[in-house]
C-alpha cells in the first residue's frame, strides 16, 4: 500500500510539475514568489526594529503579487483565485492610502511646529 501511494504521488507530482507546466504556470509561480516575498520583507524589517512592524514595501509586494495572481486566476478561469485576490487588492491599496494620509498629517504638523518656532524666535529677537 505504501509503495502504491508513493508511486501515485510521484505520478501526480510529475503531472503537475512537468506535464502540465506551461507559461501560465510559470507566471503563477512567479506571482506566488512575489506575493510570498512580502513576508520576508516584513520579517527583516521587524528584526531590524526589534518589534513587529509592517513596512510600506510589504503592501507594494502584496499589491504586485496580488495583481499577478489575479491575472493568473483570469487566465486559468479560476473563480476562487479571482474573488480572493480581487477583494484583497482593495485592502492593500487602502492600507497604502492610510499610510500616505498619516505621513501627510505628520508632515503638516512638523511644518506648523517649525513655523511657530520661527515666529517665536522672531518675536523674541525683535
Amino acid at each position: 500500500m505504501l509503495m502504491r501511494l508513493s508511486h501515485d504521488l510521484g505520478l501526480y507530482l510529475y503531472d503537475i510539475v512537468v506535464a502540465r507546466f506551461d507559461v501560465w504556470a510559470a507566471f503563477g509561480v512567479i506571482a506566488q514568489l512575489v506575493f510570498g516575498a512580502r513576508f520576508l520583507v516584513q520579517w527583516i524589517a521587524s528584526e531590524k526594529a526589534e518589534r513587529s512592524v509592517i513596512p510600506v514595501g510589504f503592501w507594494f509586494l502584496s499589491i504586485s503579487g496580488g495583481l499577478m495572481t489575479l491575472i493568473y486566476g483570469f487566465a486559468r478561469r479560476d473563480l476562487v483565485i479571482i474573488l480572493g485576490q480581487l477583494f484583497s487588492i482593495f485592502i492593500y491599496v487602502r492600507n497604502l492610502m492610510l499610510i500616505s494620509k498619516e505621513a501627510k498629517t505628520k508632515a503638516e504638523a512638523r511644518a506648523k511646529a517649525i513655523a511657530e518656532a520661527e515666529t517665536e524666535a522672531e518675536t523674541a529677537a525683535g
Side-chain angles (χ1 to χ4, degrees):
M1 182 175 146
L2 192 57
M3 291 298 289
R4 174 70 180 177
L5 179 63
S6 173
H7 176 74
D8 289 346
L9 182 61
L11 290 175
Y12 177 76
L13 291 175
Y14 176 83
D15 186 48
I16 292 172
V17 177
V18 178
R20 294 187 184 197
F21 199 79
D22 60 3
V23 173
W24 283 113
F27 183 82
V29 168
I30 292 168
Q32 286 301 311
L33 290 173
V34 170
F35 194 73
R38 68 196 190 132
F39 294 112
L40 185 61
V41 167
Q42 192 269 334
W43 177 36
I44 292 168
S46 292
E47 288 295 331
K48 284 183 180 179
E50 295 183 348
R51 63 183 180 86
S52 182
V53 296
I54 300 177
V56 174
F58 176 92
W59 299 113
F60 282 111
L61 286 170
S62 296
I63 292 169
S64 301
L67 285 173
M68 291 173 72
T69 304
L70 180 62
I71 291 167
Y72 174 79
F74 278 118
R76 293 292 188 185
R77 298 177 183 202
D78 189 326
L79 183 62
V80 173
I81 292 174
I82 293 168
L83 290 178
Q85 291 304 319
L86 192 62
F87 295 115
S88 298
I89 290 168
F90 287 112
I91 294 168
Y92 307 146
V93 171
R94 179 64 179 147
N95 274 289
L96 282 178
M97 291 169 64
L98 292 171
I99 291 168
S100 176
K101 181 181 175 183
E102 181 183 10
K104 183 180 177 184
T105 302
K106 285 181 179 179
E108 289 172 352
R110 259 183 271 140
K112 184 179 177 183
I114 290 170
E116 288 174 358
E118 289 174 351
T119 304
E120 287 178 18
E122 289 173 2
T123 304

